[in-house]
């Protein structure tokens, strides 16, 4: 039953990504050319509502439905991994026009060459696991 | 009935993304679309190669269900809810056509010059897709999250590390589009 819930959330997420055009290469290219407010509006409005909502959840000490702790863990301190990892991610995001969520959405929409990108992303994740102890964090 | 095929404006899409995050928080999970890649590696046996993949991936199976849902969502949206075109800023479209000979802005959802099955026959395009995916996967794990985990979840929770990561995303993206694209395409 729980799995059905996650599946439904995923379907809803996929439709939003596709219909908002956040999964479109053109929109990502246009964003990095500062050609439209569209992508900034999507991220910005999600963020403003997200910030307000998270503050309310925290102040009202609302617990998840199963009574566990809310998954709002602080990120580890430091800056190197965030800056270096972020830049590498940004290079890939702009090169393929897809970040991890939209990749799956595009696979479903019938662009099968996105599977190459997904394979690349899995291999990239694996490589990180292999050499992570040698990287500055 | 044409309104069904129209794209959703930012002020509809952004709040709906926030809603997804809240629903996940309320069932005790965190919104992040790249950790499933680690789960996938672990499920394929990567724990033998690195401790990074030695964790109870079965407890993260929910993650893979969200992925499966996203694939189905993409199928539904592309086949029944969209005319699969994306209108962008005409000036950007013109620049794409003149600088890179990418002429499909306004006609398709992704440029066929890069994403059609025929384009895969070009080793350069194949390399671009593979390298781009590699950078996304490596960078997301190195940074500890992607657009959803840092730009939406992390920043919503006022995390300084997420702000640094999001700045990194944009620095990387701008370098790619403004300095590397002319060399690649």
């Amino acid at each position: 039953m729980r799995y059905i819930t996650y599946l439904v959330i995923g379907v809803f997420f996929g439709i939003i990504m596709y219909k908002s055009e956040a999964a479109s290469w053109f929109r990502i290219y246009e964003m990095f050319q500062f050609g439209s407010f569209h992508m900034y509006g999507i991220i910005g409005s999600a963020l403003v509502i997200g910030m307000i909502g998270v503050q309310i959840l925290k102040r009202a000490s609302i617990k998840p439905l199963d009574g566990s702790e809310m998954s709002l863990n602080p990120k580890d301190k430091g800056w190197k991994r965030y800056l270096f990892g972020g830049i590498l991610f940004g290079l890939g995001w702009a090169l393929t026009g897809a970040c991890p969520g939209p990749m799956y959405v595009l696979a479903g929409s019938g662009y099968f060459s996105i599977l190459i990108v997904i394979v690349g992303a899995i291999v990239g994740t694996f490589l990180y696991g292999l050499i992570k102890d040698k990287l500055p964090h | 009935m044409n309104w069904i095929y129209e794209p959703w404006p930012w002020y509809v899409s952004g709040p709906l993304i926030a809603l997804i995050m809240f629903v996940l928080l309320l069932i005790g999970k965190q919104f992040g679309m790249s950790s499933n890649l680690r789960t996938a590696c672990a499920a394929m046996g990567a724990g033998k190669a690195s401790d990074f993949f030695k964790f109870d991936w079965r407890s993260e199976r929910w993650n893979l269900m969200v992925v499966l849902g996203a694939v189905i969502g993409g199928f539904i949206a592309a086949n029944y809810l969209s005319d699969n075109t994306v209108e962008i800023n005409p000036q950007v479209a013109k620049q794409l056509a003149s600088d890179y000979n990418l002429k499909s802005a306004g006609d398709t959802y992704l440029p066929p010059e890069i994403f059609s099955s025929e384009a895969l026959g070009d080793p350069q395009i194949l390399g671009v897709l593979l390298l781009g995916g590699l950078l996304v996967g490596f960078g997301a794990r190195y940074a500890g999250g992607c657009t959803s985990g840092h730009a939406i979840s992390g920043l919503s929770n006022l995390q300084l590390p997420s702000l640094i990561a999001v700045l990194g995303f944009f620095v990387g993206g701008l370098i790619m589009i403004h300095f590397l694209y002319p060399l690649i395409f």
Side-chain angles (χ1 to χ4, degrees):
Chain A
M1 183 52 216
R2 297 218 66 170
Y3 283 139
I4 299 290
T5 313
Y6 296 120
L7 192 72
V8 171
I9 291 172
V11 171
F12 190 52
F13 172 78
I15 293 175
I16 296 169
M17 284 293 112
Y18 198 87
K19 291 287 292 177
S20 69
E21 303 181 334
S24 168
W25 183 97
F26 291 111
R27 284 294 191 188
I28 305 302
Y29 184 85
E30 180 192 50
M31 170 179 76
F32 285 123
Q33 290 283 5
F34 302 104
S36 161
F37 181 71
H38 186 76
M39 288 302 301
Y40 297 100
I42 293 178
I43 299 174
S45 60
L47 196 51
V48 170
I49 294 171
M51 277 180 191
I52 297 169
V54 167
Q55 288 309 308
I56 294 173
L57 291 178
K58 277 185 164 173
R59 271 163 216 219
S61 317
I62 294 169
K63 297 261 180 223
L65 299 176
D66 60 1
S68 59
E69 283 302 312
M70 198 62 88
S71 295
L72 286 169
N73 316 319
K75 307 271 182 195
D76 298 337
K77 296 241 178 302
W79 58 272
K80 287 184 191 137
R81 67 174 301 182
Y82 302 110
L83 186 65
F84 303 151
I87 291 174
L88 291 175
F89 177 86
L91 289 168
W93 185 18
L95 186 56
T96 59
C99 49
M103 282 178 193
Y104 304 115
V105 179
L106 290 169
S109 73
Y111 281 100
F112 297 117
S113 37
I114 205 76
L115 295 175
I116 308 281
V117 182
I118 295 175
V119 169
I122 292 175
V123 174
T125 303
F126 181 65
L127 284 179
Y128 170 75
L130 287 188
I131 63 166
K132 76 184 241 308
D133 295 334
K134 297 188 177 73
L135 299 169
H137 276 78
Chain B
M1 288 293 280
N2 276 339
W3 62 271
I4 289 191
Y5 303 109
E6 295 288 315
W8 290 346
W10 61 266
Y11 49 82
V12 171
S13 315
L16 286 174
I17 293 171
L19 179 67
I20 297 257
M21 179 179 77
F22 291 133
V23 170
L24 281 170
L25 282 173
L26 285 174
I27 52 180
K29 304 293 182 203
Q30 206 165 9
F31 181 42
M33 289 304 295
S34 64
S35 28
N36 56 64
L37 292 164
R38 185 182 173 202
T39 311
C41 284
M44 288 188 280
K48 290 191 194 87
S50 163
D51 286 347
F52 184 62
F53 303 108
K54 261 188 208 140
F55 63 100
D56 178 22
W57 62 268
R58 284 186 176 78
S59 69
E60 296 292 320
R61 264 184 302 195
W62 68 273
N63 227 316
L64 302 175
M65 290 308 286
V66 176
V67 167
L68 180 62
V71 173
I72 298 171
F75 177 84
I76 295 172
N79 286 287
Y80 306 108
L81 304 172
S82 175
D83 62 5
N84 303 309
T85 64
V86 176
E87 290 294 337
I88 58 169
N89 181 332
Q91 239 143 7
V92 176
K94 207 185 279 176
Q95 182 262 337
L96 272 175
S98 62
D99 289 4
Y100 302 121
N101 213 17
L102 296 173
K103 295 181 176 150
S104 49
D107 301 326
T108 56
Y109 198 87
L110 299 182
E113 294 89 344
I114 303 175
F115 290 98
S116 69
S117 304
E118 295 82 62
L120 281 184
D122 181 348
Q124 195 199 340
I125 295 294
L126 194 66
V128 160
L129 296 175
L130 203 56
L131 177 68
L134 208 84
L135 286 165
V136 166
F138 189 95
R141 242 10 334 108
Y142 191 4
C146 62
T147 342
S148 49
H150 276 309
I152 309 288
S153 299
L155 284 185
S156 287
N157 195 18
L158 308 177
Q159 295 294 306
L160 181 64
S162 295
L163 185 63
I164 301 171
V166 173
L167 284 175
F169 297 167
F170 272 86
V171 169
L174 291 173
I175 292 174
M176 177 55 72
I177 300 278
H178 294 275
F179 299 112
L180 300 179
Y181 260 48
L183 305 175
I184 298 172
F185 291 103

